[in-house]
Amino acid sequence: MRTTLEEVIKRLRTAQRVLVIGHIKPDGDDISSVVSLVLILRKLGTTAEGCIADPIPWFYQSLHGVSVIKTVEELKDYQYDTSVTVDASELSRIGDAVKLLHGNPPDIAIDHHKTNTGFGRLDFCDPKYAATAMIIYEIGKQLIVYDPNLAESTLLGIATDTGFFKYANTDYKVFLYAAELLQAGADIQHIASAVLEHRTLNEIRLLTEMFNALKISEDGKLAWSFISTEMLIRNGCTEEETDGLVGEIRAIHGVEIAILFIEWPKHHVHISFRSKSYADVSGLALKFGGGGHSRAAGCSCKNVDPESLIEKVISEAAKIL
Amino acid sequence: MRTTLEEVIKRLRTAQRVLVIGHIKPDGDDISSVVSLVLILRKLGTTAEGCIADPIPWFYQSLHGVSVIKTVEELKDYQYDTSVTVDASELSRIGDAVKLLHGNPPDIAIDHHKTNTGFGRLDFCDPKYAATAMIIYEIGKQLIVYDPNLAESTLLGIATDTGFFKYANTDYKVFLYAAELLQAGADIQHIASAVLEHRTLNEIRLLTEMFNALKISEDGKLAWSFISTEMLIRNGCTEEETDGLVGEIRAIHGVEIAILFIEWPKHHVHISFRSKSYADVSGLALKFGGGGHSRAAGCSCKNVDPESLIEKVISEAAKIL
């Protein structure tokens, strides 16, 4: 049932033991939302635990509060009266943590994705928020006073989901909340350094190879590259380490659409689409079985020949330019 | 004479014809400060012109207001009653525009550099401001109402001088003013795309070569690379296009000090120093005749053998780690 933030806050005030669950393939906003809500509830005197089914990428570990997050296994005997999912657009996004719900829907689902399916007993989803962390912040401000650690955890989600204050979703509220969180003691340089400055030498070698394989259309508006299974193995990189590489292609002057094809494992190709100022790439991703936003979208194609897939995708992309 | 912001505002209110001058090798804050002050004064009904002696890097041209800036030649017959320098720490920083002052000091000098020498008749310099654009904004707010173009011009300086809200100088005021400027109609995505996403294919080739030449200390804390005159020529790049490359080295996981040596022209080596979280590289730059901040500093060494210079610098850098 769709509800208001006030109802969510009221429900959380009466909770005694809470389980907070984030989504798989955790990103900054996911981690931030789980950690922040757990810390808010604990400050309120409520017993609270946070769970994400997938491992947390290593570079987030130096940030305050991240160690709060537990695995499904660690929480399998945890007794709670209120379950909350955060930043998950559908129930399947919480992965194995669904076991902890014992077949029930979550009592509260808090999210900001346009595609949210409304699977909670109480649902609060508003895509106007640039990050779920901002919703959690509005809840937290009503309940407790922010300390530096909680402020850092919250700012992490706001920063990462706005591409560190650069994406189109960066509105005045994003900056205003960032200002408030800095006053509460958050350190944006610390967050930026942890999240953005962790490139490994293997990743640099992969980046170099990606640039060597770069193709660009005659008018310079469409640029793409292909990272093969062999390239990943040769450079000792996992698929996760290709994160952000498509942005390096979009950063080329004159490029409107950037596309990165990643083959992992053999004959499975993940495609990331990015656009710079006007092209809507979500339809492009949809055409190949994926989805996303107008400036950032993606899809996964199984059992394909990379070469002919690339040819097909590039010809479709050229059509929308 | 050091003065208050109130005095500066009072003086600007009574001015009839103003000349605003920025510094050579213009960066975002410089351009922002010149354009914003000119636009503020014009809104006030004052005649105002803006001058920067060096050419404006091409990628700023798509931003509102940048076309306001004129060359020294274009303004050589311009009559004014009030001259203002912005973002210049000493008079020599305005380059050839000094001719327009006819041997006089500027009537007003507005700056935020710690090293400001106090060369204006009225001087306002406060290093607590992350950007000179923020000082201009505080002046403007007292005088006029912000429109979207002026808001964009102002936000440009705040964004660039804080490394797009990531450097240690990013305080709550930075975010608060950014919030206000977005409410006034500025578009941060537009600014970010113009300033950050303009890499040329030549620059990518240079980046790749820089990575190929990368050296890293055994403990991984010190990383450096060398861009030779030959590499610049081979890739059709100018020295200006090496801007930001040292940040790519600092972004490597575990690296505390990143150093980039650029030889241009032959036997002249410019050195950029960056540190990630604790090392103070300003002393290092000072030792080789330069200066700067603790996290970002630089120096230029003339008539040197790059190889032996690199050896010396690296051995000094290792000492402070």
Side-chain angles (χ1 to χ4, degrees):
Chain A
M1 194 184 70
R2 295 281 171 186
T3 188
T4 61
L5 215 51
E6 288 63 43
E7 281 302 313
V8 170
I9 292 168
K10 219 168 100 183
R11 183 78 175 72
L12 286 172
R13 270 190 205 279
T14 61
Q16 301 289 313
R17 299 178 61 87
V18 181
L19 171 66
V20 181
I21 303 174
H23 63 72
I24 49 173
K25 297 196 173 178
D27 56 17
D29 192 26
D30 183 34
I31 294 166
S32 164
S33 300
V34 172
V35 171
S36 301
L37 188 52
V38 167
L39 295 182
I40 289 164
L41 290 164
R42 286 183 184 172
K43 258 181 183 280
L44 204 61
T46 309
T47 301
E49 294 288 356
C51 178
I52 291 179
D54 277 354
I56 309 298
W58 60 270
F59 52 85
Y60 288 110
Q61 305 290 354
S62 66
L63 294 172
H64 291 297
V66 173
S67 58
V68 154
I69 300 169
K70 293 189 174 163
T71 61
V72 175
E73 177 61 25
E74 285 173 303
L75 290 172
K76 69 179 196 301
D77 299 321
Y78 175 64
Q79 303 283 319
Y80 59 87
D81 54 53
T82 308
S83 58
V84 187
T85 62
V86 291
D87 204 39
S89 56
E90 48 186 299
L91 195 57
S92 66
R93 288 282 290 154
I94 69 171
D96 261 3
V98 75
K99 285 181 198 160
L100 304 177
L101 295 178
H102 311 295
N104 300 311
D107 296 301
I108 306 173
I110 301 169
D111 187 28
H112 76 131
H113 290 95
K114 234 193 256 179
T115 50
N116 185 287
T117 56
F119 56 89
R121 283 198 175 109
L122 282 181
D123 260 304
F124 182 82
C125 177
D126 189 344
K128 282 200 297 295
Y129 288 85
T132 297
M134 292 170 73
I135 308 175
I136 305 294
Y137 180 52
E138 290 188 4
I139 294 171
K141 279 204 284 187
Q142 303 279 326
L143 295 174
I144 48 93
V145 173
Y146 274 65
D147 63 32
N149 287 0
L150 177 52
E152 178 174 292
S153 300
T154 305
L155 188 54
L156 167 67
I158 300 178
T160 52
D161 252 29
T162 59
F164 279 81
F165 315 103
K166 285 195 298 286
Y167 295 163
N169 63 359
T170 308
D171 58 15
Y172 85 95
K173 242 187 178 183
V174 166
F175 281 127
L176 185 66
Y177 289 0
E180 292 177 8
L181 291 164
L182 254 64
Q183 277 193 299
D187 178 348
I188 187 66
Q189 198 214 353
H190 178 60
I191 297 173
S193 162
V195 176
L196 302 175
E197 302 195 317
H198 59 74
R199 202 177 251 167
T200 62
L201 292 176
N202 288 348
E203 281 168 32
I204 287 180
R205 279 186 280 265
L206 187 66
L207 173 71
T208 303
E209 284 206 45
M210 181 194 76
F211 279 143
N212 288 339
L214 187 76
K215 298 258 171 30
I216 195 154
S217 65
E218 215 167 311
D219 62 4
K221 287 185 185 165
L222 178 61
W224 67 97
S225 193
F226 172 52
I227 294 178
S228 65
T229 310
E230 291 77 17
M231 275 160 75
L232 285 168
I233 293 171
R234 180 163 60 232
N235 293 297
C237 287
T238 63
E239 204 196 339
E240 283 82 58
E241 287 166 301
T242 60
D243 226 51
L245 285 183
V246 67
E248 301 280 345
I249 301 177
R250 187 178 60 181
I252 298 169
H253 177 63
V255 166
E256 176 56 30
I257 296 183
I259 308 178
L260 182 57
F261 299 87
I262 298 157
E263 188 193 31
W264 185 266
K266 204 73 189 156
H267 300 302
H268 286 28
V269 176
H270 181 80
I271 315 178
S272 294
F273 300 92
R274 294 290 184 277
S275 69
K276 197 179 268 167
S277 11
Y278 57 87
D280 182 350
V281 291
S282 67
L284 209 52
L286 200 69
K287 209 167 258 175
F288 292 91
H293 309 277
S294 57
R295 300 279 170 274
C299 62
S300 289
C301 305
K302 299 193 170 181
N303 303 312
V304 290
D305 167 51
E307 213 166 307
S308 59
L309 177 69
I310 292 172
E311 203 172 302
K312 240 181 276 173
V313 171
I314 295 306
S315 115
E316 289 295 330
K319 281 182 201 164
I320 67 163
L321 273 171
Chain B
M1 194 183 72
R2 294 281 171 187
T3 187
T4 61
L5 214 49
E6 287 65 39
E7 281 303 314
V8 170
I9 293 168
K10 220 168 99 184
R11 184 80 174 71
L12 286 173
R13 269 188 204 280
T14 63
Q16 301 290 312
R17 297 178 62 87
V18 181
L19 172 66
V20 182
I21 303 173
H23 63 71
I24 50 173
K25 296 195 175 180
D27 56 16
D29 193 25
D30 184 32
I31 295 165
S32 163
S33 299
V34 172
V35 171
S36 300
L37 189 51
V38 167
L39 295 182
I40 289 164
L41 290 164
R42 288 185 182 172
K43 259 180 183 280
L44 206 59
T46 310
T47 301
E49 294 288 356
C51 180
I52 291 178
D54 277 354
I56 310 299
W58 61 270
F59 52 84
Y60 289 111
Q61 305 290 353
S62 66
L63 295 172
H64 291 296
V66 173
S67 59
V68 153
I69 300 170
K70 293 188 174 162
T71 63
V72 175
E73 178 60 25
E74 286 173 302
L75 291 171
K76 70 178 194 303
D77 299 321
Y78 176 64
Q79 303 283 322
Y80 59 87
D81 55 51
T82 308
S83 58
V84 187
T85 62
V86 292
D87 205 41
S89 56
E90 48 185 301
L91 196 56
S92 67
R93 288 282 290 153
I94 69 169
D96 263 3
V98 76
K99 285 180 197 161
L100 304 176
L101 295 178
H102 312 295
N104 300 310
D107 296 301
I108 306 172
I110 301 168
D111 187 28
H112 77 130
H113 290 96
K114 234 194 255 177
T115 50
N116 184 286
T117 56
F119 56 90
R121 283 199 175 108
L122 281 181
D123 260 305
F124 181 83
C125 178
D126 189 343
K128 282 201 296 295
Y129 288 85
T132 297
M134 292 170 73
I135 308 175
I136 305 295
Y137 180 53
E138 290 189 3
I139 293 171
K141 279 204 284 186
Q142 303 279 325
L143 296 174
I144 47 92
V145 174
Y146 274 66
D147 62 32
N149 287 0
L150 177 52
E152 178 175 291
S153 300
T154 305
L155 188 54
L156 167 67
I158 300 178
T160 52
D161 252 31
T162 59
F164 279 81
F165 315 102
K166 286 193 297 283
Y167 295 162
N169 64 358
T170 308
D171 57 16
Y172 85 94
K173 243 189 179 182
V174 166
F175 281 126
L176 185 64
Y177 289 0
E180 292 177 7
L181 291 163
L182 255 63
Q183 276 193 300
D187 179 347
I188 187 66
Q189 197 213 355
H190 179 60
I191 298 173
S193 162
V195 177
L196 302 175
E197 302 194 317
H198 59 76
R199 202 177 254 166
T200 62
L201 292 176
N202 288 348
E203 282 168 32
I204 288 179
R205 280 186 280 265
L206 186 68
L207 173 72
T208 302
E209 284 206 44
M210 181 194 78
F211 279 143
N212 288 338
L214 187 77
K215 300 256 171 31
I216 195 154
S217 65
E218 213 167 314
D219 62 4
K221 288 186 186 166
L222 178 61
W224 67 98
S225 192
F226 172 52
I227 293 178
S228 66
T229 310
E230 291 78 16
M231 276 161 75
L232 285 168
I233 294 172
R234 182 163 58 231
N235 293 298
C237 287
T238 63
E239 204 196 340
E240 283 82 56
E241 287 167 301
T242 60
D243 226 52
L245 286 182
V246 66
E248 301 280 346
I249 302 176
R250 187 177 60 181
I252 298 168
H253 177 64
V255 166
E256 177 56 29
I257 295 182
I259 308 178
L260 183 58
F261 299 87
I262 298 157
E263 187 192 33
W264 186 266
K266 204 75 192 154
H267 300 303
H268 286 27
V269 176
H270 181 81
I271 316 178
S272 293
F273 300 92
R274 295 289 182 279
S275 70
K276 196 177 270 170
S277 11
Y278 57 85
D280 183 350
V281 291
S282 66
L284 208 53
L286 201 70
K287 211 168 255 175
F288 292 90
H293 308 277
S294 57
R295 299 280 170 275
C299 61
S300 289
C301 305
K302 297 192 169 182
N303 303 313
V304 290
D305 167 50
E307 213 167 307
S308 60
L309 177 69
I310 292 171
E311 203 172 300
K312 240 182 275 172
V313 172
I314 296 305
S315 115
E316 288 295 331
K319 280 182 201 162
I320 68 163
L321 273 173

